[in-house]
Structures are given as C-alpha cells and as structure tokens.
Amino acid sequence: MTEPKTHTLEVPGAVLHYDVRSNDSSTEPVLLLIGSPMGAAGFGTLAGRFTDRTVVTYDPRGAERSKRTDGASESTPDEHADDLHRLISELDAGPVDIFASSGGAVNALALVAKHPEQVRTLVAHEPPASQELPDREAVLAACQDIRATYQRSGLGPAMAKFIALVSHQGPIPDGFADQPAPDPAQFGLPATDDGSRDDPLVGQNIVSCNAYRHDFDALRAASTRIVVGVGAESGEMLPGRAAVAVAERLGPTPVTFPGHHAGFLGGEYGMTGEPEAFATTLRKVLTE
C-alpha cells in the first residue's frame, strides 16, 4: 500500500476531498472507509490494517476539507449517497466493499438502495436509523432540540446535549429534550459561543440523518451483501439499538464488533477503541 494521495471531486453543492492508498497488486475490491460527519482523518488506523488492498477514505460534504459551495445549512443522506455514487464512479474500480460507521452507515444504506451495483459488501456499523425505534418520537425531538440549541447558543451547549443523548442506556424517555441541559464544562466543552453555525454534526446532519426513512424493500432486493455491525459495549445506546432494529428489518443477525461506537479508532480525535480486534472482525466479515 502506498502513502495516501489526495484528490478532489466537484459534486453539486460541494467539493469532496478523498484519499487513495493504492495497492496495485491486490485482486480484492477497493475498500471504502466512511463515516459522517467523521472524515478521512478518523480512519487512518483502520486503513493501516488493510495494506493488502486499495483503501479509499473521504471527507463528507460540509466536513473537514470537503467544503459546501451552495451555502446550504443542512445535508441529507440522499445528498451524501449521491456524493458516494459519484465518488465510486470516479474511482472506476468496479463494485467496492464499504465499511461505514455511524451517519456514514445511514448514507451507505441510502446509496445501496439506489445503486446496489456499485457495492459488493456493505458493513453498516451502528447506523443511527432512529425512525426504526419504538422511541423514535422522543429521539427525534431530542435531535431537533440539539439543532435548535446549536443555532441559539453555539457548539458547546449543543454538543453537551448530543453526548447526553447518545450515551443514554436504553430507550429515550418521553420528555428527554425538556430535561435540564447538561453543563458543557463537564464534557470539557466551551460554554462560550464562537458565532459559527456550520458544524456538520449538530448543525447539518443531526436531524436529517436520524429522521431518514430507509427503503427496506430496495435494500432487501439489492444484490449487495449487507452486514449490520453493533459494538460489544454500545448495543444499548441509541446507534447500537438502531442497528439492531435495521438488522431485524433486513433479516441477517447483526455482527458484534469489539469495543464501542468508535471501536476502530486508534487515537484519532483523542479516542481509542480496540482497532486490532476490530480490524480482525471486519476482515472476517468481508471475506465470508
């Protein structure tokens, strides 16, 4: 595998940045590692565990290097799916394998529903498909409140509410959004507002991602092999519970991956999971 080479791709409303770690001798499909809003920087450790194949990472629209050019304040899974469709077409590498984490898994499922011919295997790790949960109304109300808090008060207060939501064990109770707001300082977050309103998580994606309605008929009919992953330590939290619900709609039993929601991280963004064990599980899933 070579060192990553950065490329750009103009798409409607954004310029995407993506990185290619080439292995020209590999006969395996290209492996695309994606998140949302997590960008390419979050997948360095995991990419290093797959030096036997070409690996592609990217920054989703509105995140890190991939700047929006349309001034829109919200991104949707359908927009992200179209970006992925265009990126895979640009690679011209035939059907790819995808490991997709969190919001990236929501976007990848939307891609497969529309373009299954582009993906051989999709491993969707903890997609926050909140529409599939019995507590969907409480979850979506909390997401709306997080976005409103961000627009009103800035990043710190909104992120504190987000952390409280995604770290909650079990179903989200009615009225969760009306509870007293957590103190940003307890999470090491700033309480002051810097005035920016372009955060990809609590600004652009928080509502549209969680509220997205997947086309399960298309997914079940797709030629793509779809595997849903759940973290061993996060199965009772929102994204883990949603992943189980998605798996129930699709049929196959979800695969348990080591660690938590970000179990593949090896120090990126100051977080460390169980990257070696995580990569071993992912490799096994991709080769089955």
Side-chain angles (χ1 to χ4, degrees), residues 67-119:
K67 306 301 183 184
R68 296 202 67 135
T69 57
D70 58 5
S73 61
E74 186 175 58
S75 299
T76 69
D78 286 327
E79 285 181 310
H80 288 300
D82 185 64
D83 291 345
L84 291 168
H85 163 63
R86 293 170 186 270
L87 173 56
I88 294 169
S89 298
E90 180 72 11
L91 293 172
D92 192 24
V96 301
D97 286 344
I98 299 180
F99 169 76
S101 171
S102 194
V106 170
N107 302 338
L109 288 166
L111 166 70
V112 167
K114 296 176 176 66
H115 299 286
E117 75 284 352
Q118 289 191 306
V119 185

Side-chain angles (χ1 to χ4, degrees), residues 3 8 23 51-52 54 65 68 73 87 97 108 114 140 146 152-153 158 178 184 186 196 201 223 229 241 249 251 273:
E3 291 297 312
T8 60
N23 185 327
T51 57
D52 57 325
T54 294
R65 300 168 297 173
R68 296 202 67 135
S73 61
L87 173 56
D97 286 344
K114 296 176 176 66
L140 296 179
I146 289 167
R152 182 176 63 249
S153 304
D178 300 323
Q186 75 181 86
S196 64
L201 174 58
S223 56
R241 293 190 300 111
R249 294 291 302 274

Side-chain angles (χ1 to χ4, degrees), residues 138-146 161 172-181:
V139 174
L140 296 179
C143 291
Q144 292 279 3
D145 178 62
I146 289 167
K161 288 186 174 182
I172 303 301
D174 292 339
F176 185 88
D178 300 323
Q179 295 179 1

Side-chain angles (χ1 to χ4, degrees), residues 105-135:
V106 170
N107 302 338
L109 288 166
L111 166 70
V112 167
K114 296 176 176 66
H115 299 286
E117 75 284 352
Q118 289 191 306
V119 185
R120 185 186 74 161
T121 297
L122 165 62
V123 182
H125 184 252
E126 296 205 348
S130 299
Q131 285 283 8
E132 304 312 310
L133 294 172
D135 51 322

Side-chain angles (χ1 to χ4, degrees), residues 169-258:
Q169 295 278 345
I172 303 301
D174 292 339
F176 185 88
D178 300 323
Q179 295 179 1
D183 181 0
Q186 75 181 86
F187 303 111
L189 295 166
T192 55
D193 184 0
D194 67 3
S196 64
R197 293 296 184 270
D198 58 355
D199 185 78
L201 174 58
V202 294
Q204 296 180 34
N205 294 309
I206 183 70
V207 175
S208 60
C209 178
N210 281 272
Y212 189 74
R213 295 184 181 274
H214 290 280
D215 186 344
F216 285 99
D217 288 338
L219 290 170
R220 284 189 291 266
S223 56
T224 303
R225 174 177 170 247
I226 302 173
V227 179
V228 177
V230 180
E233 300 173 12
S234 49
E236 292 302 315
M237 298 177 187
L238 174 58
R241 293 190 300 111
V244 172
V246 168
E248 289 175 349
R249 294 291 302 274
L250 293 177
T253 301
V255 173
T256 299
F257 277 77

